[in-house]
Amino acid sequence: MLAVPEMGLQGLYSGSSPERSPVPSPPSSPRTQESCGIAPLTPSQSPKPEARAPQQAPFSVVVAIDFGTTSSGYAFSFASDPEAIHMMRKWEGGDPGVAHQKTPTCLLLTPEGAFHSFGYTARDYYHDLDPEEARDWLYFEKFKMKIHSATDLTLKTQLEAVNGKKMPALEVFAHALRFFKEHALQELRDQCPSLPEKDTVRWVLTVPAIWKQPAKQFMREAAYLAGLVSREDAEQLLIALEPEAASVYCRKLRLHQLVDLSSRAPGSGRLGERRSIDSSFRQAREQLRRSRHSRTFLVESGVGELWAEMQAGDRYVVADCGGGTVDLTVHQLEQPHGTLKELYKASGGPCGAVGVDLAFEQLLGRIFGEDFIATFKRQRPAAWVDLTIAFEARKRTAGPHRAGALNISLPFSFIDFYRKQRGHNVETALRRSSVNFVKWSSQGMLRMSCEAMNDLFQPTVSGIIQHIEALLARPEVQGVKLLFLVGGFAESAVLQHAVQAALGARGLRVVVPHDVGLTILKGAVLFGQAPGVVRVRRSPLTYGVGVLNRFVAGRHPPDKLLVRDGRRWCTDVFERFVAAEQSVALGEEVLRSYCPARPGQRRVLINLYCCAAEDARFITDPGVRKCGALSLELEPAEGGPHAAGAPPSRREIRTAMQFGDTEIKVTAVDVSTNRSVRAAIDFLSN
């Protein structure tokens, strides 16, 4: 046990020779400067985790918000007909030729910091501002990645608008979520005027599976601030992992709703030009006639035809290629109910479509100078947004077999600003540049060869393929038959061709849903209706606390020896709750008990530690870090008669932690009264 005396924690004893002690760590202990103490765990052998079925709260409708790096949207379904998914209304504005069932993740605030608009409306309004006026407005885009990349994320983390001004990230995210809340509730009222708003909506927020606990908690805090739910009704909000949501949706699809990239004719570009996956499974259908019993179970469970073709135990990978990250998960299909079991912890990295945008920005820096691009972004932020929109439109048309160059419009503000800054025009800059695959067209545009455009994709695409290949090399993933390519970036013909070319030789069938950009959003709605569909997950990290154990010479390092009251203890022992990559079932609980040291103690704080290794021994080992704190808010102990001079009985608080859900959860109960104790884990206070 580690304990700071003023926090007052005691452990529970069982038997005459406890293995762990409530004695506080000495001042020389390396962790005594922590602001909270660690209680010892139950000294007898820890009870085996208990599985408890999650309780489902009543609700009338599920609203899922897919909060993406580049685009966002919402969808909903009613509990009376859960698989009838209603997409949000088409958004106002938008780009020609682009479906508007999502809107850009762009937020515009007034110079005073008040909400003005979101999505296409925000982007277009900002575009129309006078350049001098635009400097004072706060325009945020692609800001979701800041949460992923922040190594010290807290509730006070700041985000920088394109004009360089900063604002608390929590407020920025809350503005965006509040916009979706109001938009969705208005649509629900229009469709079902009699639907009461309070306590009838279950909200679902999507996050990358590779996000750590602080980022997930941050999104939940933003939802509280936005008014989606209250802290008292926390169960009304679910955090859905994006590749999981895609997996849940894909299992509902029929064969004609999927496209097999291995069946693509050479040179084809768009998704609709490829042949359906139906013919690829004719042989499987013949085999299935011999196993109608298993098919009946799956179809009755609501899974699609493709899954009925698969047998129990079949494995597949979902690669969610979004704007900011590639997110990978591996699932195994379980019979008879079609539930899913995660076979390896979520993996991936920051290899999203914004990497192509960054490559384009670097290309402009090579042509016009990095210092000029930085100055232009700072002094003409609205014009820079115009340029990125023009590039996005051309990026969507890129393909591996496309013939002909692409023209990219340069805003007049860019051309004029460059001439004033450099004393010559952009055409001269292009002639002098060493970049010979970008020219100046007679229409006054940048003219880029298709090869040059495809080269901008290569670093990001190569990173995605490397992540997939690393996952496929894991022994837990052997036997995979399918790879589902989903997410907004999966619409790219460049990415589709590269993934099929790299992985097709492995015999892996690469499959793309027709509505690939909406897969996660629709899956999040289905997940909200039945969150128990993912039955088993893998813990991404090892979690535990620090305790004192009885010192054993030869096994424990001498520098960990603590002698107190004639007893020899080993300090800083890492007591594990769950190990990295350990399979944890939904509802499975890890039980621990603690005793407050003082009769009137009202609060207990217990430091949590984590690491990537499975075999860490001490909380001082390399890679082990404090990641959060478990807090227990105690009501005053009920008084009772005591014998004269007898101390009051010790108070036992039993905690139950769940590591098999999308978030780590904790509940607690006062054993003496059987009353619930307010318990929470804070990952943002470090």
Side-chain angles (χ1 to χ4, degrees):
M1 179 197 76
L2 288 182
V4 177
E6 60 266 26
M7 298 311 299
L9 282 171
Q10 276 191 324
L12 291 177
Y13 287 13
S14 67
S16 58
S17 57
E19 293 297 320
R20 302 178 183 88
S21 166
V23 179
S25 296
S28 60
S29 176
R31 299 286 174 158
T32 54
Q33 299 306 312
E34 303 282 4
S35 60
C36 51
I38 295 297
L41 309 179
T42 307
S44 57
Q45 185 173 4
S46 299
K48 293 182 178 180
E50 295 183 1
R52 186 173 65 181
Q55 298 296 315
Q56 301 297 328
F59 58 92
S60 302
V61 62
V62 167
V63 179
I65 300 174
D66 182 13
F67 196 96
T69 300
T70 55
S71 61
S72 301
Y74 70 88
F76 58 92
S77 73
F78 295 95
S80 57
D81 191 5
E83 294 189 14
I85 300 175
H86 303 262
M87 300 303 299
M88 57 277 169
R89 294 166 175 161
K90 299 290 182 69
W91 300 99
E92 296 180 2
D95 304 319
V98 179
H100 306 317
Q101 289 186 305
K102 283 190 175 182
T103 194
T105 308
C106 305
L107 173 69
L108 181 63
L109 305 180
T110 67
E112 296 75 30
F115 176 84
H116 180 273
S117 51
F118 186 89
Y120 284 117
T121 304
R123 193 192 71 179
D124 295 344
Y125 189 92
Y126 190 64
H127 163 274
D128 293 334
L129 285 173
D130 178 86
E132 293 300 322
E133 186 181 5
R135 293 185 188 182
D136 297 326
W137 288 67
L138 287 81
Y139 182 79
F140 298 88
E141 62 176 359
K142 301 172 184 174
F143 49 88
K144 179 182 174 183
M145 277 297 291
K146 301 294 184 183
I147 303 304
H148 172 73
S149 58
T151 57
D152 55 348
L153 181 65
T154 71
L155 295 177
K156 297 181 180 180
T157 296
Q158 300 274 307
L159 284 182
E160 186 174 303
V162 296
N163 63 357
K165 295 183 179 180
K166 293 185 177 181
M167 189 172 184
L170 193 68
E171 294 184 25
V172 174
F173 277 80
H175 278 306
L177 293 178
R178 191 178 298 112
F179 165 82
F180 280 112
K181 173 199 171 186
E182 294 172 355
H183 209 283
L185 290 180
Q186 183 59 52
E187 186 167 352
L188 286 173
R189 284 192 290 266
D190 293 344
Q191 289 204 21
C192 188
S194 62
L195 184 71
E197 178 179 328
K198 184 173 176 57
D199 301 329
T200 61
V201 178
R202 166 178 281 173
W203 296 90
V204 181
L205 285 181
T206 65
V207 302
I210 58 174
W211 270 18
K212 294 180 173 58
Q213 294 298 325
K216 296 176 184 178
Q217 182 185 340
F218 182 92
M219 290 299 290
R220 179 170 284 277
E221 293 291 339
Y224 291 151
L225 184 59
L228 265 69
V229 299
S230 66
R231 295 182 187 276
E232 291 72 23
D233 299 315
E235 291 76 15
Q236 278 190 258
L237 172 66
L238 298 180
I239 299 296
L241 308 183
E242 290 165 358
E244 277 191 5
S247 179
V248 170
Y249 177 68
C250 286
R251 65 192 279 280
K252 294 285 186 181
L253 296 179
R254 298 187 177 274
L255 299 179
H256 70 275
Q257 297 172 297
L258 299 162
V259 172
D260 183 359
L261 295 187
S262 64
S263 302
R264 181 178 59 185
S268 64
R270 306 298 295 176
L271 190 65
E273 298 172 8
R274 306 186 190 111
R275 292 189 287 124
S276 169
I277 198 173
D278 289 36
S279 60
S280 303
F281 281 85
R282 286 174 183 166
Q283 182 179 359
R285 279 181 179 153
E286 293 300 321
Q287 296 173 349
L288 199 67
R289 291 176 182 175
R290 308 186 191 102
S291 57
R292 284 186 172 273
H293 183 65
S294 61
R295 178 184 176 110
T296 301
F297 267 125
L298 286 173
V299 172
E300 288 179 351
S301 299
V303 301
E305 291 175 339
L306 175 59
W307 306 98
E309 307 287 3
M310 299 175 69
Q311 302 299 310
D314 278 350
R315 306 171 174 201
Y316 61 94
V317 174
V318 175
D320 170 25
C321 304
T325 59
V326 58
D327 222 8
L328 307 175
T329 193
V330 190
H331 280 160
Q332 184 176 50
L333 184 66
E334 297 182 314
Q335 289 190 17
H337 303 297
T339 52
L340 303 174
K341 177 182 179 181
E342 188 176 42
L343 297 180
Y344 184 69
K345 65 181 181 181
S347 60
C351 299
V354 295
V356 184
D357 304 336
L358 179 60
F360 177 65
E361 181 178 339
Q362 293 170 342
L363 175 64
L364 293 178
R366 290 171 57 192
I367 298 172
F368 302 106
E370 294 180 1
D371 59 332
F372 169 77
I373 296 300
T375 302
F376 179 73
K377 289 174 64 178
R378 184 175 62 254
Q379 297 192 20
R380 297 289 187 271
W384 173 254
V385 172
D386 289 349
L387 179 53
T388 61
I389 293 171
F391 174 72
E392 177 67 25
R394 308 313 294 156
K395 182 178 73 174
R396 289 178 176 270
T397 67
H401 306 290
R402 178 190 169 100
L406 300 95
N407 289 334
I408 301 173
S409 299
L410 282 181
F412 172 78
S413 179
F414 184 98
I415 298 171
D416 182 63
F417 193 75
Y418 183 82
R419 181 179 54 80
K420 292 178 179 178
Q421 290 284 315
R422 292 291 199 250
H424 56 266
N425 58 32
V426 296
E427 184 177 1
T428 302
L430 283 163
R431 285 200 306 266
R432 294 177 179 178
S433 170
S434 59
V435 179
N436 55 15
F437 46 78
V438 179
K439 307 296 183 182
W440 184 248
S441 74
S442 57
Q443 295 94 348
M445 300 181 182
L446 291 180
R447 188 167 180 80
M448 180 182 296
S449 69
C450 287
E451 294 77 12
M453 174 63 83
N454 290 339
D455 285 345
L456 297 180
F457 282 77
Q458 291 316 303
T460 299
V461 169
S462 296
I464 291 173
I465 293 173
Q466 288 172 11
H467 279 294
I468 297 175
E469 289 178 334
L471 175 63
L472 294 175
R474 298 288 308 185
E476 301 92 336
V477 188
Q478 300 307 303
V480 164
K481 294 184 177 183
L482 287 172
L483 183 143
F484 287 93
L485 200 62
V486 302
F489 194 28
E491 296 176 345
S492 167
V494 176
L495 176 61
Q496 291 178 6
H497 179 268
V499 171
Q500 172 59 33
L503 303 177
R506 293 173 172 261
L508 192 68
R509 192 177 300 277
V510 182
V511 179
V512 181
H514 276 290
D515 50 357
V516 58
L518 300 175
T519 300
I520 294 164
L521 178 55
K522 293 181 177 181
V525 176
L526 296 176
F527 176 79
Q529 296 284 4
V533 64
V534 183
R535 192 185 63 83
V536 179
R537 293 183 175 87
R538 295 280 184 133
S539 176
L541 296 170
T542 298
Y543 291 95
V545 295
V547 299
L548 290 178
N549 275 4
R550 185 176 296 279
F551 188 87
V552 178
R555 191 176 78 182
H556 293 140
D559 61 340
K560 298 294 184 183
L561 174 63
L562 168 68
V563 179
R564 179 65 62 86
D565 297 332
R567 295 184 177 182
R568 293 159 59 86
W569 302 100
C570 180
T571 64
D572 299 332
V573 175
F574 185 66
E575 180 91 33
R576 189 174 66 191
F577 290 161
V578 64
E581 300 183 29
Q582 177 181 333
S583 291
V584 189
L586 185 67
E588 187 174 314
E589 295 181 335
V590 176
L591 303 178
R592 296 292 186 269
S593 292
Y594 306 98
C595 274
R598 301 187 303 273
Q601 188 171 339
R602 299 293 300 274
R603 191 182 191 205
V604 173
L605 286 177
I606 305 168
N607 285 337
L608 296 182
Y609 297 85
C610 70
C611 63
E614 302 177 37
D615 56 353
R617 298 179 60 199
F618 302 99
I619 62 174
T620 53
D621 285 354
V624 180
R625 60 183 176 85
K626 176 175 175 279
C627 62
L630 167 63
S631 66
L632 304 173
E633 304 291 338
L634 309 180
E635 296 294 330
E638 294 183 355
H642 300 285
S649 59
R650 286 189 299 173
R651 187 179 184 187
E652 177 184 350
I653 308 299
R654 183 172 299 161
T655 64
M657 286 164 283
Q658 297 185 29
F659 295 89
D661 214 326
T662 58
E663 301 172 273
I664 297 177
K665 299 179 178 180
V666 61
T667 57
V669 65
D670 188 326
V671 174
S672 62
T673 63
N674 203 33
R675 292 180 180 175
S676 295
V677 172
R678 181 176 295 180
I681 300 179
D682 185 5
F683 293 100
L684 290 171
S685 62
N686 290 321

